[in-house]
Amino acid sequence: MKKVVIILIILVVLAAVAIPLYRYFMPYRVDSVTVEIPAETTSSEIGSILADHHVIRGELDFKVYLKLSGRGNDLQQGNYTFDGSYSLKEVVDRLEEGGEDSVGTRVTIPEGYNMEQIIATLEEKGVTTREEFLDAAANGDYNYDYIGEKGDALRVQGYLFPETYLFEKGISAYDVINTMIAQFDSLLTDEWKAQLATRGLSIHDWVTMASIVEKEAVVQEDRPIIAGVFYNRLDQGMLLQSCATVQYALGEVKPVLTNEDVAVDSPYNTYIHEGLPPTPIASPGEASLEAALYPADTTYLFFVAKPNGAHIFTNTYEEHLAAIEAIERGDYDNE
């Protein structure tokens, strides 16, 4: 009897997985129908609307597919015409592209994206082109003192705040950039401005440091400690030696940097150039901006990442080497 129950449970689980997978791959025939997805509609409500118009087999299938695929955050409002055979994937693809009368395009910019990655995302969503973006970045008039002089598109890198935006149809590249900078600027409270003054930090240096912290940190609680390490190194006249800046200079992320990599001739290579790099290397999120503004009060000068992304922090180079050896041995739980 016990074996029968176990078999039944296994069959139920398999069915729960197999049914949405079947409907993921197998198209569903849709008669010509136009569906309106209103603004501020939840993914669950969208599933109900689609099911009511016989675009999909059922609302539950839609929910399960979104859950299994990790999608659902970029579904857009608008009018959609369905006529033919569509799998669940193809229906969701359409909803992410936007409808015929969609008022805008929803775009999510992740924390830690550099400008080229942001441009690629905007191009993929059809918001703007690379040429238009670079021209607006280099030559647009932005009413913020911390945006550098015209001529170099990289003057806006770091200030394109990572967030989910709804960009209107036909929006200019200038307005896209200005919207993202305005989102960053909204974080500059009086308290943060006072802290910048207390630390003697320019906004440029602060955001540059925050961008490095963003790329180095994986575990949230490590962010202020990493910032503290880098400030300590700067205070003692040491090279930052940030792998993240080298990876930016190389234009690719490598799990292990070679001696040749850390010798690359670039102003962004903090293994050979003192101080901070010329510009931020990415768009830091709020947590990294806060960490760079309120770093941990520590004496650490070194850190190395464990396999889980957390770091071991040390005071001396000898301790740093010992930490690396402990990680290589897999004996680092107490480090």
Side-chain angles (χ1 to χ4, degrees):
M1 182 65 183
K2 187 176 181 181
K3 289 183 178 179
V4 173
V5 173
I6 293 174
I7 292 172
L8 287 174
I9 292 174
I10 293 173
L11 289 174
V12 169
V13 172
L14 289 174
V17 175
I19 290 173
L21 285 177
Y22 166 79
R23 293 178 175 179
Y24 169 86
F25 287 111
M26 296 302 294
Y28 180 60
R29 178 68 190 178
V30 182
D31 293 329
S32 182
V33 61
T34 298
V35 178
E36 179 184 0
I37 305 298
E40 306 301 326
T41 306
T42 66
S43 60
S44 179
E45 291 169 339
I46 291 174
S48 179
I49 293 170
L50 295 173
D52 289 344
H53 287 81
H54 307 291
V55 175
I56 59 176
R57 288 181 174 87
E59 180 183 346
L60 180 59
D61 292 347
F62 189 73
K63 288 181 178 179
V64 172
Y65 169 71
L66 293 182
K67 183 70 174 178
L68 292 176
S69 64
R71 303 173 73 180
N73 294 325
D74 295 321
L75 307 183
Q76 298 185 47
Q77 67 184 73
N79 294 326
Y80 298 84
T81 299
F82 295 95
D83 183 9
S85 296
Y86 298 87
S87 66
L88 279 173
K89 177 184 181 301
E90 290 169 333
V91 170
V92 174
D93 287 345
R94 287 282 306 280
L95 293 172
E96 288 182 342
E97 291 170 0
E100 292 88 344
D101 300 320
S102 178
V103 298
T105 301
R106 194 173 300 278
V107 180
T108 298
I109 304 300
E111 296 173 350
Y113 262 27
N114 61 38
M115 191 171 69
E116 286 295 338
Q117 290 173 307
I118 291 172
I119 293 172
T121 301
L122 293 169
E123 274 199 311
E124 181 183 351
K125 292 289 187 178
V127 174
T128 188
T129 66
R130 185 173 189 275
E131 291 74 18
E132 291 169 347
F133 189 98
L134 289 175
D135 179 65
N139 302 309
D141 290 312
Y142 301 101
N143 192 29
Y144 302 98
D145 293 340
Y146 45 82
I147 301 299
E149 296 181 0
K150 293 181 182 180
D152 184 1
L154 285 174
R155 67 189 180 129
V156 304
Q157 180 158 268
Y159 305 101
L160 305 171
F161 191 73
E163 184 61 274
T164 296
Y165 298 92
L166 181 63
F167 293 121
E168 296 181 355
K169 273 191 170 183
I171 189 172
S172 68
Y174 169 83
D175 286 332
V176 168
I177 294 170
N178 205 41
T179 297
M180 298 176 79
I181 297 175
Q183 188 65 28
F184 163 81
D185 195 72
S186 69
L187 296 177
L188 284 173
T189 62
D190 290 340
E191 178 188 338
W192 278 23
K193 290 176 181 177
Q195 180 66 4
L196 283 169
T198 298
R199 293 194 59 82
L201 277 174
S202 68
I203 290 179
H204 178 81
D205 286 351
W206 165 49
V207 176
T208 301
M209 177 63 80
S211 73
I212 299 174
V213 172
E214 184 68 60
K215 299 300 291 184
E216 292 278 6
V218 174
V219 178
Q220 174 62 28
E221 52 265 30
D222 282 358
R223 294 179 195 273
I225 308 176
I226 289 173
V229 169
F230 283 136
Y231 282 126
N232 288 344
R233 293 179 73 91
L234 289 176
D235 289 343
Q236 295 191 27
M238 300 172 66
L239 293 167
L240 285 184
Q241 294 185 322
S242 164
C243 294
T245 64
V246 176
Q247 290 166 341
Y248 178 80
L250 295 172
E252 62 178 314
V253 176
K254 290 185 173 183
V256 178
L257 295 175
T258 66
N259 289 334
E260 183 180 4
D261 292 332
V262 297
V264 63
D265 185 14
S266 167
Y268 288 89
N269 182 357
T270 57
Y271 272 77
I272 60 176
H273 291 287
E274 295 181 357
L276 293 164
T279 71
I281 60 173
S283 288
E286 185 172 355
S288 291
L289 287 166
E290 185 171 12
L293 194 55
Y294 297 93
D297 184 9
T298 178
T299 58
Y300 293 136
L301 292 172
F302 302 89
F303 61 83
V304 60
K306 295 186 284 188
N308 66 357
H311 291 83
I312 298 175
F313 297 92
T314 50
N315 289 295
T316 68
Y317 186 61
E318 290 73 22
E319 291 172 345
H320 179 61
L321 292 178
I324 294 173
E325 291 176 0
I327 290 174
E328 290 174 347
R329 293 193 311 268
D331 180 23
Y332 51 81
D333 289 340
N334 297 320
E335 295 290 337

